[in-house]
Amino acid sequence: MSNSFFVSFKRLLFIIIFFIIFISLFFIPIYPDEFASYSPMVDGNCIIDISSSGYAWPSPGYTRINSYFGYRTSPTAGASSYHSGLDIGAPEGSKLIAVTSGQITFASFLGGGGYTITLTSGNMKFTYCHVSPNYIVKVGDYVSQGQVIGYVGPKYVYGVSGNQYSDEYGNPTNGATTGPNLHFGVRVDGEYIDPLTLF
């Protein structure tokens, strides 16, 4: 009797497993494109978010915006009251990636932007400011979307000729900044636009 019970139990278990597999294969929900604003892409040990317009978020894993595009109260001396990009909060050493494929057209110290990298793709320029001075790309390099092109830089930088930016104690800063972050700017035909329109 116990043997027939065991056989019946195995059949029941088999039927349950079969139905679970059947339902999983044929009834997985499919969402329309308008609900899929981001498509994750894995690169090494980070997930890269690709927006519905085809651009990758520049700082994988860090999405908090400390200062939006447009008019604002200047956070530090020398910073503009019209903010031409986004300040994305991220710790020093965080990866910065190419939002699209293109060519590196600038990699140097740039006034209020501090150490800066500019990626050009067609009529668009993507500017990464307050980056690490230890560049891993150089002017002329072609990069692919999602490729690491730099890292968030330190708050303080020393020995930069002509750097007019410093904190309240006179320590030289990485441009007009109050701490490590990415200032991300986008220009189309030379005019700054709100980067969030791409994301």
Side-chain angles (χ1 to χ4, degrees), residues 26-161:
F26 296 102
F27 294 101
I28 295 173
I30 298 172
Y31 298 102
D33 286 342
E34 60 263 25
F35 295 116
S37 60
Y38 286 98
S39 170
M41 178 173 77
V42 178
D43 177 36
N45 60 358
C46 65
I47 294 177
I48 299 167
D49 285 327
I50 307 292
S51 71
S52 58
S53 59
Y55 294 94
W57 185 253
S59 54
Y62 298 96
T63 57
R64 186 189 64 201
I65 297 172
N66 295 336
S67 185
Y68 287 86
F69 180 85
Y71 290 99
R72 66 175 183 175
T73 301
S74 299
T76 186
S80 174
S81 60
Y82 185 80
H83 197 219
S84 59
L86 299 176
D87 284 348
I88 303 168
E92 181 180 346
S94 301
K95 292 179 180 179
L96 302 173
I97 63 168
V99 296
T100 191
S101 297
Q103 185 177 23
I104 302 299
T105 53
F106 186 86
S108 189
F109 196 86
L110 185 64
Y115 284 103
T116 299
I117 296 170
T118 300
L119 167 64
T120 300
S121 179
N123 67 334
M124 299 181 76
K125 291 184 181 294
F126 305 91
T127 304
Y128 301 71
C129 297
H130 316 304
V131 304
S132 169
N134 300 316
Y135 290 112
I136 59 172
V137 293
K138 63 184 182 307
V139 172
D141 285 353
Y142 286 91
V143 295
S144 300
Q145 183 180 53
Q147 180 178 334
V148 176
I149 61 170
Y151 300 93
V152 172
K155 176 179 179 178
Y156 299 110
V157 293
Y158 297 90
V160 180
S161 177

